[in-house]
Structure formats: C-alpha cells, structure tokens
Amino acid sequence: VELFPGDLDVMLAAARVCFQGNVLVNGMTGGEYINTILLQDPGNIEARIFQVSDAVEKRDWKTAVESANQVLATTMNTEILILLTRAYLGQGKSAEALKTISPLYSEDPQNTDILNLYLQSLIETGSYETASSIIQEQLSGASSAKKSVLYYNRSRLASNEEQQLSDLRSSLLSDPRNQEALISMYGYYYGKKEYKRASYYLKQAI
C-alpha cells in the first residue's frame, strides 16, 4: 500500500487481509479500502462482492440486499446471487430467497453451497416434501461436505427430537466444522438445560 498508493489491485489485496484477519492495514479497515476503490471504479465486481459479503457477515441484511441488487442491475454474478439469497433468508424473506437461488440450483444442483441455500429456502417456504425428496436423492454417494449439509437440513424436517439429534450428529460426523449444525446442537442442549454440552458446541462454533 505504501509502495503503490492508489493501485486498485493492491487495495483489494489489503481489503482481503482486513476482512479475513479482522485487522487494520495502514490504519484503514477493509470497508474503507472498498469504499475508496468504488469511488474510483464503481463497477469493480470484486469490490462489490467484498461489500456485500461484509454486510452479510455483519448481519446487515438491508445493506446486503441493496448492494447486491445494485450489482445485479448491471451484471449477473453467481457469488452475488448466493450472497443475496443469504441476505433474503436473514431478512426472513424466504420467497425472495427461493426465487433467487432456484435458477442457480437448476444450473448446478451438485454445488454444495447452492444446494444448502436451496434446501433452506424450500424449508423456510414450507416446501417440506420437495426438500425431503432432494435430500433422499442426493445422500447416496454424496461427499462428506455434502452429506453434512443434507443431514443438517434433514434435521430441520425431523418429526421428533430423537431423529433431529441423530441427523445433527450425522451432519457433524461428516463435517465437524459445519457451523449451522454446531449452533443447532448448542440450541438443542441449551433447551434441555444441559449447559455443559451446550457450551461445548457453542465454543466449537466460535
């Protein structure tokens, strides 16, 4: 940054370090670098992705939706559509989330991130039978990461606590770092007032 002040690629790299490490680079935050870049190049897609991603991480759903739609007004971008779906789900706008993610799932049903968001959107809109059918179809031969996503979403469809707990355990056996499953396990044990176990899963999520 000192050697090449104003260089957009350098500022993007600095922003990436800021966001990933939660640190300042030369006294500036990632957001400040992104704003500087967008003043010079409003159409910079990578900077826009950082902007939307940062808003999603901060759970600033309104900003994320507005920023994502600004990009999509000029160009279609898969990563932005994925982030927009997350923001819609965060806002509780499940119908909009399903409408956004459905075309991506049609194009690439094997993509784990897209599959996860598609299943979540189906569940949130009450399309339980469709979600259950997809989970059953994709479980056979699925990778560990995908199995974790499928079991986690199946846990949300469980008709009883025993099945829910079994699916959450299967999700974490497939991927011990599945944050959604870890938080759900925390919630399960917290609800049972088993605080030691709840604490364990919450610490894992953190």
Side-chain angles (χ1 to χ4, degrees), residues 93-98 119-128:
K93 295 182 177 179
S94 53
E96 287 89 340
L98 184 58
L119 289 172
Q120 288 185 34
S121 299
L122 286 171
I123 292 168
E124 291 297 327
T125 54
S127 302
Y128 305 132

Side-chain angles (χ1 to χ4, degrees), residues 1-14:
V1 173
E2 291 174 355
L3 287 171
F4 305 99
D7 185 285
L8 297 185
D9 289 334
V10 171
M11 285 193 286
L12 275 171

Side-chain angles (χ1 to χ4, degrees), residues 87-118:
Y88 277 141
L89 287 171
Q91 281 188 321
K93 295 182 177 179
S94 53
E96 287 89 340
L98 184 58
K99 183 178 179 181
T100 303
I101 200 66
S102 290
L104 297 183
Y105 178 75
S106 297
E107 292 172 9
D108 190 4
Q110 300 305 318
N111 182 297
T112 302
D113 289 336
I114 291 172
L115 171 65
N116 188 29
L117 288 171
Y118 185 60

Side-chain angles (χ1 to χ4, degrees), residues 50 88 92 143 156:
F50 271 124
Y88 277 141
S143 66
R156 300 183 65 203

Side-chain angles (χ1 to χ4, degrees), residues 148 152 155 167-169 171-172 175 177-187 201:
S148 182
Y152 163 71
S155 77
D167 283 335
L168 286 173
R169 284 173 174 162
S171 176
L172 290 173
D175 178 9
R177 297 175 63 83
N178 185 320
Q179 191 177 48
E180 291 166 322
L182 288 168
I183 291 172
S184 291
M185 288 289 272
Y186 155 73
Y201 286 108

Side-chain angles (χ1 to χ4, degrees), residues 184-195 197-199:
S184 291
M185 288 289 272
Y186 155 73
Y188 176 87
Y189 284 115
Y190 188 87
K192 296 290 185 183
K193 297 185 179 180
E194 295 186 37
Y195 300 125
R197 286 188 175 182
S199 175

